[in-house]
Amino acid sequence: MASSSLTSFPCLSSLKMTIKPMAALTNPPRTKTPYELKKGQNRLFHKLPSGLKMEVIEQRRSKSERENPPLVFVHGSYHAAWCWAEHWLPFFSSSGFDSYAVSLLGQGESDDPLGTVAGTLQTHASDIADFIELNLGSSPPVLIGHSFGGLIVQYYLANIVNKQTLGTENAFPELSGVVLVCSVPPSGNSGLVLRYLFSKPVAAFKDDEGLKETGRFYEVEPVCIEGVAHDMMLDCSWEKGAEVLLSWLCGLSKPGNLSA
């Protein structure tokens, strides 16, 4: 197992070294590597109210006998839309769901905002809401967030609940459902162990404080997927989580499953 450490070498302590820069970069290199789309995928650039463009990788469904809600996927830290495009977009589109994966500003092929941070929970959630409003307004989607993206999804959900409670209008369109994948719990701690969450998921889970915290907060029973890594959508057993989620999605149209 690889590890990082600081090691001293006494025999080198007496050496005096002069280091001269051999070259200087006037422009920092672009570190973003474009993701090569798979068959059936398209890369869109949604223009936000700020004028910046947000990358969206879409994969439309194959023929389906019923009208399913679209799916909008939100990545976590150090990821972008590509993390969903590798396995889950092909899987869910072939299962009858139009699927859209966004890249938050500063990630993937999305524009870099000015300043030292790419955004806040509020700005990221607002960007996602703007995409949904302008592209999926007539078809409330299921919003799916992974890791830190799950915290953004929770912020989005809180705005909808607040709108419903106060009876006011805001810029956050309604949803057909919410899914948190290995999400940051509501307290924001580092217990990134939640696997799936919504109104009535379908399985029990092992004892874990972060998972229990989220379940208590939303008054739901989470689902734990055994033997799968934090990056569930990229794991070699990615089908395990995808199939559980698909089973839940197929039950959304049943009475009582759309309440938050």
Side-chain angles (χ1 to χ4, degrees):
M1 179 179 295
S3 62
S4 298
S5 62
L6 179 63
T7 304
S8 298
F9 295 89
C11 61
L12 299 182
S13 60
S14 62
L15 296 180
K16 294 183 179 180
M17 302 177 68
T18 301
I19 301 175
K20 293 183 179 181
M22 301 302 293
L25 293 175
T26 55
N27 294 309
R30 184 174 176 83
T31 58
K32 299 178 182 178
T33 302
Y35 176 80
E36 186 175 346
L37 299 179
K38 295 183 177 296
K39 182 179 180 180
Q41 295 178 350
N42 297 303
R43 178 177 280 110
L44 312 176
F45 289 95
H46 173 70
K47 188 173 183 179
L48 298 166
S50 63
L52 298 175
K53 293 180 181 178
M54 182 172 68
E55 178 192 28
V56 181
I57 298 178
E58 70 163 7
Q59 189 157 2
R60 298 294 186 91
R61 63 181 178 174
S62 305
K63 277 190 174 181
S64 177
E65 295 181 358
R66 68 178 208 166
E67 193 68 24
N68 293 319
L71 310 180
V72 177
F73 295 88
V74 184
H75 64 84
S77 301
Y78 312 110
H79 288 59
W82 57 263
C83 73
W84 304 105
E86 189 66 20
H87 300 299
W88 280 29
L89 291 195
F91 177 85
F92 287 105
S93 62
S94 67
S95 300
F97 294 85
D98 288 342
S99 300
Y100 304 85
V102 303
S103 291
L104 302 174
L105 290 182
Q107 303 298 321
E109 292 297 296
S110 292
D111 286 344
D112 297 327
L114 297 176
T116 57
V117 296
T120 63
L121 289 179
Q122 179 179 3
T123 61
H124 287 319
S126 296
D127 291 344
I128 295 165
D130 187 73
F131 168 74
I132 291 174
E133 176 69 26
L134 295 182
N135 296 275
L136 308 173
S138 60
S139 302
V142 174
L143 191 57
I144 302 166
H146 172 251
S147 194
F148 178 73
L151 204 57
I152 297 171
V153 169
Q154 291 177 71
Y155 185 92
Y156 188 113
L157 182 60
N159 277 272
I160 291 181
V161 172
N162 185 57
K163 176 178 68 174
Q164 294 170 342
T165 302
L166 300 178
T168 58
E169 294 293 329
N170 67 15
F172 288 80
E174 297 292 329
L175 303 172
S176 291
V178 169
V179 179
L180 304 180
V181 181
C182 307
S183 175
V184 175
S187 66
N189 63 38
S190 59
L192 306 180
V193 293
L194 183 63
R195 293 302 189 253
Y196 288 110
L197 172 68
F198 190 62
S199 57
K200 296 180 181 177
V202 294
F205 55 90
K206 286 188 175 181
D207 183 20
D208 185 278
E209 189 54 41
L211 185 116
K212 291 192 296 182
E213 175 200 325
T214 310
R216 289 194 303 268
F217 187 87
Y218 291 105
E219 299 181 348
V220 299
E221 286 288 320
V223 177
C224 183
I225 310 300
E226 299 291 346
V228 181
H230 178 70
D231 268 10
M232 182 180 294
M233 73 296 268
L234 296 172
D235 190 87
C236 59
S237 298
W238 62 266
E239 299 99 328
K240 289 184 178 181
E243 288 169 356
V244 171
L245 177 54
L246 177 61
S247 176
W248 177 81
L249 287 168
C250 290
L252 271 180
S253 60
K254 296 179 181 179
N257 277 7
L258 290 179
S259 60

